[in-house]
């Protein structure tokens, strides 16, 4: 898989740990930055990653900031993105099986690198269950998105 990855100044250290880990699992990583502690705006990085996911330039995306909250909020503004903020293993599996998420948000200040690697591995390896009830719920979420998306 091709994974787009982005972080702000509060998440770049974890990003630098996660990239080689993802590559060790056999996936390709597209790094959208940032790579320093200088203050940057997380929506800029969330947008770059999410654009790659919705355009098909990447199969999935991972976003990292201090808490993961800002990145997940920004990501979920992009039509076609289903981003989940995850800090535990159960949620990593459930969000793929039940919600078919295509972007994962993590908080560097919330979890350590070991837990982050386990979350990423589970999230990347778990398939959507294809369950009818889950598909129906995703379609309802898509209907909400469609209702509030301005058509040009």
């Amino acid at each position: 898989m091709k994974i787009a990855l982005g972080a702000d100044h509060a998440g770049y250290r974890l990003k630098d740990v996660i990239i080689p880990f993802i590559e060790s699992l056999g996936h390709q990583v597209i790094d959208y930055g940032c790579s320093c502690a200088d203050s940057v705006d997380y929506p800029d990085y969330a947008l770059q990653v999410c654009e790659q996911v919705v355009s098909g330039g990447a199969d999935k995306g991972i976003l990292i900031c201090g808490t993961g909250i800002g990145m997940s909020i920004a990501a979920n503004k992009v039509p076609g993105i289903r981003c989940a903020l995850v800090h535990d293993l159960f949620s990593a599996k459930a969000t793929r099986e039940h919600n078919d998420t295509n972007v994962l948000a993590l908080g560097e200040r919330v979890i350590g690198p070991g837990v982050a690697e386990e979350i990423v591995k589970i999230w990347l390896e778990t398939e959507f269950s294809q369950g009818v009830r889950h598909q129906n719920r995703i379609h309802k979420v898509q209907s909400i998105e469609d209702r509030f998306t301005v058509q040009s």
Side-chain angles (χ1 to χ4, degrees), residues 22-135:
I22 293 170
E23 292 171 339
S24 78
L25 297 174
H27 304 293
Q28 180 184 350
V29 175
I30 309 164
D31 182 357
Y32 286 93
C34 93
S35 297
C36 67
D38 298 338
S39 183
V40 297
D41 298 329
Y42 62 82
D44 299 334
Y45 297 90
L47 182 59
Q48 290 178 76
V49 167
C50 292
E51 284 177 331
Q52 283 303 304
V53 173
V54 296
S55 74
D59 299 299
K60 292 182 179 160
I62 298 175
L63 298 168
I64 308 168
C65 64
T67 62
I69 296 167
M71 285 290 201
S72 65
I73 291 170
N76 281 312
K77 297 297 181 185
V78 177
I81 294 298
R82 288 179 309 284
C83 177
L85 171 57
V86 175
H87 292 138
D88 65 88
L89 305 182
F90 175 80
S91 298
K93 186 172 181 70
T95 193
R96 285 288 309 130
E97 284 182 342
H98 297 185
N99 310 112
D100 196 20
T101 52
N102 52 11
V103 176
L104 173 68
L106 302 169
E108 179 179 311
R109 296 175 180 163
V110 180
I111 56 172
V115 172
E117 287 176 347
E118 289 182 61
I119 288 169
V120 167
K121 185 176 191 309
I122 289 168
W123 187 76
L124 289 174
E125 293 177 351
T126 302
E127 295 293 328
F128 177 51
S129 72
Q130 299 293 331
V132 173
R133 71 178 197 256
H134 301 304
Q135 290 176 350

